[in-house]
Amino acid sequence: MKARVHVSLKPGVLDPQGKTVGDTLSRLGFSEVGEVRVGKIIELELEDGLEPSHAEARVKDMCEKLLANTVIEKYEIELA
Amino acid sequence: MKARVHVSLKPGVLDPQGKTVGDTLSRLGFSEVGEVRVGKIIELELEDGLEPSHAEARVKDMCEKLLANTVIEKYEIELA
């Protein structure tokens, strides 16, 4: 079983990395680009045979304890 | 229109960040976790009214020129 966690900055939190990417794209001639935000994707290989609801709760726990800084970041969990 | 680019290391390329996250999760008691890989998500706001096929070609160009290091990284583009 695999889990995919998408960690991104909460709306309203400044994203200097995204700003730099956006500015650089404009300078390269991609004038159609507006705001750019950069986030992380964490792909976890989980033990087989876990119950999906249990797995989701465990991954949520991982996010709260390590994977996301919940003061400024939000996360979405996808199981596959 | 929005584009979402998922940049991740090619299979076989070592991912020290993912390894560190995996080791730390084990140490925190999440013994069900196996391999961990960390990638990036870049969300781009694009001008409205672009044709999807044209937008996709432009974003592909951005990936090749700036967003991904295609020697070690692969990318997937999603338009929304």
Side-chain angles (χ1 to χ4, degrees):
Chain A
M1 179 181 248
K2 282 202 169 203
R4 202 181 239 219
V5 179
H6 179 192
V7 179
S8 53
L9 288 167
K10 289 182 178 172
V13 177
L14 282 182
D15 180 358
Q17 190 185 359
K19 175 89 173 63
T20 305
V21 171
D23 290 351
T24 307
L25 286 171
S26 296
R27 234 172 318 114
L28 288 174
F30 296 105
S31 55
E32 69 270 57
V33 177
E35 205 193 0
V36 178
R37 310 273 293 172
V38 179
K40 267 176 297 185
I41 282 275
I42 302 159
E43 287 172 324
L44 307 156
E45 189 68 63
L46 299 177
E47 222 171 73
D48 282 325
L50 284 180
E51 245 191 75
S53 63
H54 176 66
E56 181 152 1
R58 290 288 281 175
V59 175
K60 190 160 186 268
D61 204 19
M62 294 176 207
C63 289
E64 297 285 336
K65 288 198 174 131
L66 182 74
L67 303 179
N69 173 356
T70 54
V71 177
I72 55 168
E73 291 173 329
K74 60 189 173 65
Y75 57 86
E76 285 160 50
I77 298 168
E78 234 179 87
L79 295 176
Chain B
M1 179 182 246
K2 282 201 169 205
R4 203 181 239 218
V5 180
H6 179 191
V7 179
S8 53
L9 289 166
K10 288 183 179 173
V13 177
L14 281 182
D15 179 358
Q17 191 185 358
K19 175 88 173 66
T20 305
V21 171
D23 290 351
T24 307
L25 286 172
S26 296
R27 236 173 316 113
L28 288 174
F30 296 105
S31 54
E32 68 270 59
V33 177
E35 205 192 1
V36 178
R37 310 274 291 173
V38 179
K40 267 177 296 189
I41 282 276
I42 302 159
E43 285 171 326
L44 307 156
E45 189 69 60
L46 298 177
E47 222 170 73
D48 282 326
L50 286 179
E51 244 192 76
S53 65
H54 176 66
E56 180 151 1
R58 290 288 281 175
V59 175
K60 191 160 185 266
D61 204 19
M62 295 176 206
C63 290
E64 297 285 336
K65 287 197 175 132
L66 181 75
L67 303 179
N69 173 356
T70 54
V71 177
I72 55 168
E73 292 173 329
K74 59 189 173 66
Y75 58 85
E76 285 159 50
I77 298 168
E78 235 178 86
L79 295 176

